[in-house]
Amino acid sequence: MAGSLSGLRVRRRGNVGASSGAPPLEIEQPTASLVVPRGNATSSSLELSDNKKSEKSSTISSYVGVLVKIYGALLLFMLVVVPIAMNHKISANNSRDEHITAAKHIMLPGEDTASLRRVRHSFVKRYPRTVAISTSSPTILTVIPYTIDFELDSIDSSDSSEPYFPDLVKGYNLDVCKPKHDWQSKSFPNCNMFHETNLSEMSFITSGTLRSVFELSEQIHGNINKFVYKNLDYYGKYNVDLKRVDQERKDALILERTTSSQFIPSIHAYCSTAVIMDHAPRDMERYNEERLKRNITISPLDRLKIYIHIASGVADLHSVDFIHNDLHEQQFLYQDGLFKLNDFNYAKPMYVDKNTNETCPISEKFSMGLFGRSLEEMQYKVDYEGFTPVKPDKIDVWMMGNLLYTVLTDLQVWNKKKRRNENVKLKQAKRLVAGERPPIPDHILDSNDPAHVAMMNALDMTWKYNWMERPSARSIADYLIRELRAITGEEAPDLRINFLNEVF
């Protein structure tokens, strides 16, 4: 990343004299020449001598006047400016161990962007620079001390979106249920990271449904580290409203809460609608498409490892009491031999009963479509009489089965080419609600390979028709890891895959 506290510079610009309002200095030229009459040379000489003495005296007087003015200016500087500067320095030194401040020029409404050049910084490198911006008076930057009790609050409480948060969560009975944790409706931005980043050097990677993705990098001691910057869709297909901002808030919140997971990317910065996260520019769908084009095969053991990546990422997400709610191939990014779960814009927090503290089921208002959705959502939308409210994590487990099926067979549960055709999607949903399952090739069904057997067992677990019999994502991940240990004979087998390095 470009930019740091140690790299701050202040430049003063302007035309000397021109901007002061004073007229330019002019040298007055003599208007008459000196004439010496021939007949009175002595008198003329005396007059000339007197004139020279007068000019010399005038010149000396001018020099003295200039020196007096300079001396007066220096005296004024010593008496006024120096004490103020010394007092500022002493004050800054006294506060060195307590806090750091950033003193900013107050921007008046009539000023243009040139006023930014007059920003003054006073900081101690021991701490990061922190500035609070008042949303009620956005033209004023307030000095904020950085102390041990400091809590970053980038959004003024009067403008906070948190009171609207329950209205954005669909499916729960809010008369009975409440968020399991207070922090589920909060955000923890660190906007200064973006101010210290040179966003002008980014390169465009791709655009998804909601956001555009850019690559940026920083060079430290000769090593180049790459990151991914995500923000609003570059083409502006969607308006920015409260719902959209909340989607980005959830994405960053979950990335922060799952920092310890090796199956979810790390986040480096978040502010409003933008995040900076680990560099992993290609997803599972892209890899699968390229691999199949080039007829690159995957061993059953490597497929089993990908099963573990998927189940472990979903399980780690559920451990912080959120569900993903939109699982498909594009949501898994490849980084350092692992597929990592990503993109939590449609995530849903788990709610609990206000009286019993038990996890609340989702009973209505499934907000997504039919394509690739869970069994219970399809039951609800086709008016299946046997529908019962479902625990939220079991929705993810069913959708996880769609991914496992593709990893096992290289086939798709849903026809991507016809995902816009509502009649095709409705027919497929009715078949799945009726208990039909997509076919598994004979060479896998008849296989005695223990990796194939383990994967088919895990797939059956995810597609249990009764959601109450459906295991948790953690149970499925633990089962798969036990099977991998038994196959490899290793207590801690390597979960990474490396065949995909050949694809790109």
Side-chain angles (χ1 to χ4, degrees):
M1 296 182 183
S4 64
L5 293 179
S6 60
L8 290 174
R9 296 289 185 270
V10 179
R11 294 193 294 174
R12 303 179 184 272
R13 297 183 181 180
N15 297 324
V16 177
S19 61
S20 65
L25 296 177
E26 296 181 359
I27 299 176
E28 185 174 351
Q29 300 295 332
T31 58
S33 60
L34 179 63
V35 179
V36 181
R38 293 182 182 179
N40 195 2
T42 303
S43 175
S44 299
S45 298
L46 291 174
E47 289 177 5
L48 178 61
S49 175
D50 290 338
N51 287 337
K52 287 183 178 180
K53 290 179 181 180
S54 176
E55 287 179 9
K56 185 175 181 181
S57 176
S58 176
T59 301
I60 293 173
S61 299
S62 298
Y63 287 157
V64 171
V66 171
L67 291 174
V68 169
K69 291 179 180 180
I70 293 175
Y71 178 80
L74 289 174
L75 183 62
L76 179 64
F77 179 85
M78 295 295 292
L79 292 176
V80 177
V81 177
V82 172
I84 293 176
M86 292 297 294
N87 183 60
H88 177 73
K89 181 177 181 182
I90 293 172
S91 176
N93 289 338
N94 290 339
S95 63
R96 179 183 181 91
D97 295 329
E98 297 178 2
H99 66 269
I100 126 179
T101 62
K104 295 283 189 175
H105 168 75
I106 296 180
M107 297 176 59
L108 301 178
E111 292 184 308
D112 57 19
T113 55
S115 63
L116 293 176
R117 302 191 187 107
R118 298 198 295 274
V119 172
R120 297 182 296 108
H121 296 277
S122 173
F123 60 90
V124 179
K125 295 180 183 178
R126 177 177 174 181
Y127 298 114
R129 176 166 53 89
T130 58
V131 181
I133 301 178
S134 170
T135 54
S136 58
S137 302
T139 59
I140 299 178
L141 303 182
T142 309
V143 173
I144 292 293
Y146 189 103
T147 67
I148 193 171
D149 298 323
F150 176 79
E151 180 179 348
L152 182 61
D153 182 17
S154 67
I155 302 177
D156 187 80
S157 59
S158 62
D159 295 337
S160 174
S161 62
E162 292 172 11
Y164 301 97
F165 174 76
D167 296 336
L168 299 174
V169 179
K170 308 298 182 183
Y172 295 111
N173 182 350
L174 298 182
D175 293 332
V176 178
C177 304
K178 66 175 183 178
K180 188 172 183 179
H181 308 285
D182 290 339
W183 57 260
Q184 288 175 314
S185 61
K186 298 183 181 297
S187 61
F188 305 94
N190 54 341
C191 297
N192 278 0
M193 290 294 292
F194 291 89
H195 304 317
E196 297 167 6
T197 301
N198 189 354
L199 302 182
S200 66
E201 296 182 356
M202 298 187 303
S203 58
F204 179 75
I205 298 177
T206 186
S207 282
T209 303
L210 297 175
R211 298 183 292 182
S212 289
V213 183
F214 299 82
E215 178 183 282
L216 51 83
S217 61
E218 68 171 359
Q219 185 170 344
I220 300 178
H221 304 306
N223 297 320
I224 298 178
N225 299 317
K226 293 184 177 181
F227 303 89
V228 165
Y229 169 87
K230 292 184 177 182
N231 207 334
L232 303 176
D233 175 59
Y234 182 77
Y235 301 101
K237 292 182 292 187
Y238 299 93
N239 293 327
V240 180
D241 53 17
L242 185 62
K243 180 180 179 181
R244 182 67 188 280
V245 173
D246 189 66
Q247 288 174 339
E248 306 306 325
R249 178 195 67 82
K250 289 185 295 184
D251 184 59
L253 177 64
I254 291 170
L255 287 171
E256 184 268 332
R257 291 286 148 162
T258 56
T259 298
S260 62
S261 173
Q262 63 175 321
F263 300 102
I264 294 177
S266 296
I267 186 173
H268 301 278
Y270 158 66
C271 186
S272 184
T273 61
V275 297
I276 297 176
M277 55 184 290
D278 278 353
H279 184 268
R282 299 186 181 95
D283 56 52
M284 185 182 292
E285 182 181 56
R286 179 98 180 270
Y287 272 106
N288 282 339
E289 290 174 351
E290 291 296 321
R291 177 180 61 80
L292 293 173
K293 286 180 183 178
R294 298 169 57 178
N295 295 318
I296 298 176
T297 59
I298 310 178
S299 69
L301 190 65
D302 280 333
R303 293 179 193 267
L304 177 59
K305 290 181 179 180
I306 298 176
Y307 261 50
I308 294 174
H309 300 170
I310 295 171
S312 297
V314 175
D316 289 346
L317 169 62
H318 291 174
S319 71
V320 298
D321 298 312
F322 269 88
I323 66 169
H324 192 281
N325 199 36
D326 190 31
L327 291 173
H328 52 79
E329 288 177 283
Q330 291 178 331
Q331 312 296 25
F332 284 85
L333 305 176
Y334 182 71
Q335 181 191 36
D336 300 330
L338 300 174
F339 279 109
K340 300 187 177 185
L341 181 58
N342 146 80
D343 201 352
F344 304 103
N345 298 113
Y346 294 124
K348 192 184 293 288
M350 295 187 191
Y351 275 31
V352 294
D353 188 287
K354 296 177 182 178
N355 297 317
T356 66
N357 211 39
E358 294 291 326
T359 301
C360 285
I362 295 178
S363 57
E364 58 182 3
K365 296 181 181 178
F366 291 101
S367 57
M368 308 295 280
L370 280 171
F371 189 90
R373 304 307 301 172
S374 70
L375 176 66
E376 288 70 34
E377 290 174 273
M378 291 183 285
Q379 288 176 340
Y380 181 83
K381 290 179 179 179
V382 301
D383 296 323
Y384 174 65
E385 61 181 9
F387 167 79
T388 58
V390 57
K391 292 293 179 65
D393 61 312
K394 301 305 174 69
I395 290 175
D396 273 357
V397 172
W398 178 278
M399 287 190 286
M400 189 172 77
N402 296 340
L403 283 164
L404 301 186
Y405 175 79
T406 297
V407 173
L408 176 63
T409 66
D410 289 331
L411 302 173
Q412 299 287 334
V413 177
W414 295 80
N415 189 334
K416 293 181 182 179
K417 295 180 180 179
K418 297 182 179 180
R419 66 178 304 163
R420 304 296 179 189
N421 190 316
E422 295 299 326
N423 290 331
V424 171
K425 290 189 292 186
L426 185 59
K427 289 179 180 178
Q428 174 72 338
K430 289 181 177 180
R431 285 195 294 267
L432 293 171
V433 169
E436 294 186 23
R437 297 292 176 267
I440 294 178
D442 290 339
H443 75 277
I444 297 176
L445 286 174
D446 298 336
S447 174
N448 293 321
D449 189 305
H452 276 150
V453 174
M455 286 186 284
M456 286 189 288
N457 287 338
L459 182 59
D460 286 340
M461 295 178 193
T462 63
W463 281 348
K464 288 287 185 183
Y465 198 88
N466 185 343
W467 65 263
M468 288 182 280
E469 298 176 2
R470 207 174 295 159
S472 66
R474 179 65 67 199
S475 297
I476 296 173
D478 290 345
Y479 163 76
L480 292 168
I481 292 174
R482 287 197 302 270
E483 293 300 305
L484 181 62
R485 286 172 177 164
I487 294 171
T488 62
E490 301 173 356
E491 180 61 26
D494 189 355
L495 299 179
R496 293 171 298 176
I497 57 177
N498 55 30
F499 68 88
L500 288 181
N501 297 334
E502 305 172 16
V503 175
F504 289 93

